[in-house]
Amino acid sequence: QGCTQKYIVKNYFYYYLFKFSAALGEEIFYITFLPFTYWNIDHSVSRRMIIVWSIVMYIGQVSKDILKWPRPLSPPVVKLEMRTNAEYGMPSTHAMAATAISFSFFIATMNLYKYPFELGLAAAFVFSTLVCLSRLYTGMHTVLDVIGGALISAVLLVLLYPVWDTIDHLLLTSPFCPLFSIVVPLVLCYNYPKLDYYSPTRGDTTTILGAAAGASVGFWLNNQYAASAYKSVQPGFPLITSTMVFVLARFFVGILVVLLTRWLMKSVVLGVLGYRYKFPIRDLEARRRLEVEVPYKFVTYSSVGFTATVIVPRLHELLGLL
C-alpha cells in the first residue's frame, strides 16, 4: 500500500486539472478557504459553512468505517494517491465535502450579495463536479462511491438548511456553547468506530472536529465581547487594486499565523504526549495510538480554529487591516 504505482501521463491537461481538483477536498483547501471566507467574505457565511462541513464530514467518515466497502481494485485502475488508500471507499468524503462547501457557500451568499442566481448555481455545480470526477480519475473511488457521497451530502444540506439560523443563534449566544463545542466532538472522536487495522479516517475526523470546535469557541467569544467585524469585500469585476491588496494582506498575514500556530501546537502537544507515554516524537506507530492521536490532533486543530477566528482578527486590527 505504501508503494506508488508506475504510470505514464498521456494528457497533462486532465492530469493536472484533476490532481488540482482532488486537492480541493483536502486539508490544504480547508485551512486556506474557510479562514479566507471569515476574513474577507462574511462571518455568517463562514459559520454556516463550518457547521455544515463538520457535520457532513463526520457522518461521511463514520459511514466509511461502518459500511467497509473496499476501494476500486488495482489493477484495473491506476491509483494516483496512496495516503487515503488505507481508507474504505463508500461514501466519497471528497464528494461530500465538495458538495457541502460549494452549495452551502452558494446558499449562504445568494441573499447577501448581488450576483446572477444561475452563475452561482453553475459555479457550485462545476466545483463539486470537478472534485467528484477527480476521485474517479485518480482511481480512488467507484462511480457509486462518488454518487453516494454527493447524494448524502445533498440530503444533509436539505435537512440542515431549515435550522441554520437556529444553530447559528445558539452558537453565538448560548452560555453552554464553549463546553458543548469541546466536549461533544471529543466524545465523538474517542468513540470513533474501531477497525482491525490503522486507517487515517479517525485522525482526519479529529482534525475536522477539532478545527470546528476551536472556531465555534472563537465565534462565541467574539460575539460575547462584541469584537469588531470585518468590512466584507463586495464581489465585482474588476476589483479595485487597493481592495485586492487589502484582501491579500489579510489572507497572507492570517495564513502565516495559522500555519505557525499549527506547527507550534503540534510540536508542543506531541512533546508533552511523548513525555507522558514514553515514545519519541518521530515514532509514527505511537502517534497512531488512540490516546495519542486524538488529543494531539484535537488540541492542535482546535488551536488553529481559535487562532483563525480570534487571534488573527486582533492582529489584523492592530495592523489596520480590519
Side-chain angles (χ1 to χ4, degrees), residues 41-105:
I41 306 296
D42 190 272
H43 286 190
S44 65
V45 174
S46 180
R47 291 195 302 269
R48 284 162 171 75
M49 289 175 62
I50 289 173
I51 291 168
V52 172
W53 169 65
S54 57
I55 293 173
V56 165
M57 288 299 287
Y58 175 77
I59 291 174
Q61 296 284 67
V62 169
S63 298
K64 279 186 178 184
D65 291 339
I66 291 176
L67 293 174
K68 297 182 179 180
W69 286 21
R71 288 186 181 269
L73 293 176
S74 178
V77 305
V78 176
K79 295 186 176 180
L80 306 187
E81 298 176 12
M82 285 295 118
R83 179 187 175 276
T84 56
N85 198 36
E87 299 178 8
Y88 288 108
M90 177 68 174
S92 166
T93 46
H94 272 71
M96 292 184 73
T99 302
I101 287 178
S102 59
F103 282 94
S104 61
F105 181 82

Side-chain angles (χ1 to χ4, degrees), residues 65-297:
D65 291 339
I66 291 176
L67 293 174
K68 297 182 179 180
W69 286 21
R71 288 186 181 269
L73 293 176
S74 178
V77 305
V78 176
K79 295 186 176 180
L80 306 187
E81 298 176 12
M82 285 295 118
R83 179 187 175 276
T84 56
N85 198 36
E87 299 178 8
Y88 288 108
M90 177 68 174
S92 166
T93 46
H94 272 71
M96 292 184 73
T99 302
I101 287 178
S102 59
F103 282 94
S104 61
F105 181 82
F106 166 58
I107 294 168
T109 58
M110 65 181 181
N111 292 324
L112 289 175
Y113 299 105
K114 294 180 180 179
Y115 61 81
F117 176 87
E118 296 79 7
L119 179 62
L121 183 62
F125 180 79
V126 169
F127 179 93
S128 55
T129 299
L130 281 174
V131 175
C132 289
L133 290 176
S134 76
R135 308 317 289 157
L136 302 178
Y137 183 87
T138 55
M140 302 312 297
H141 284 286
T142 64
V143 174
L144 186 59
D145 294 343
V146 170
I147 293 175
L151 286 178
I152 292 170
S153 189
V155 170
L156 289 172
L157 269 173
V158 171
L159 294 175
L160 288 170
Y161 178 70
V163 294
W164 264 15
D165 291 338
T166 302
I167 295 174
D168 191 48
H169 178 73
L170 291 173
L171 195 67
L172 295 177
T173 61
S174 172
F176 302 105
C177 174
L179 181 64
F180 182 86
S181 298
I182 297 297
V183 172
V184 172
L186 270 176
V187 170
L188 293 175
C189 292
Y190 273 109
N191 291 278
Y192 193 82
K194 295 180 181 179
L195 298 176
D196 296 332
Y197 65 93
Y198 177 78
S199 168
T201 48
R202 184 184 65 202
D204 291 345
T205 304
T206 305
T207 294
I208 292 164
L209 294 185
S216 297
V217 174
F219 296 148
W220 180 85
L221 199 63
N222 286 338
N223 186 68
Q224 297 304 306
Y225 292 95
S228 301
Y230 284 97
K231 297 176 182 177
S232 61
V233 176
Q234 295 292 332
F237 298 98
L239 283 174
I240 302 171
T241 304
S242 60
T243 303
M244 280 298 297
V245 171
F246 212 63
V247 167
L248 292 175
R250 283 180 184 174
F251 175 72
F252 284 115
V253 168
I255 207 64
L256 177 62
V257 175
V258 164
L259 293 176
L260 284 173
T261 299
R262 185 179 66 165
W263 171 79
L264 178 62
M265 293 306 300
K266 180 178 178 180
S267 301
V268 170
V269 176
L270 275 178
V272 171
L273 291 171
Y275 177 79
R276 168 67 177 82
Y277 294 107
K278 311 300 180 186
F279 68 87
I281 291 179
R282 297 185 180 276
D283 186 344
L284 293 179
E285 288 301 317
R287 286 163 55 172
R288 291 173 172 177
R289 286 154 43 189
L290 175 68
E291 65 272 23
V292 175
E293 184 176 57
V294 170
Y296 134 58
K297 292 204 168 183

Side-chain angles (χ1 to χ4, degrees), residues 30-40 230 245-263 303-317 319 321-322:
Y30 304 143
I31 209 170
T32 52
F33 180 70
L34 294 176
F36 178 88
T37 304
Y38 187 77
W39 300 328
N40 290 299
Y230 284 97
V245 171
F246 212 63
V247 167
L248 292 175
R250 283 180 184 174
F251 175 72
F252 284 115
V253 168
I255 207 64
L256 177 62
V257 175
V258 164
L259 293 176
L260 284 173
T261 299
R262 185 179 66 165
W263 171 79
S303 300
V304 166
F306 185 83
T307 297
T309 53
V310 176
I311 306 300
V312 170
R314 302 293 77 74
L315 179 59
H316 283 165
E317 188 173 16
L319 295 174
L321 296 174
L322 202 58

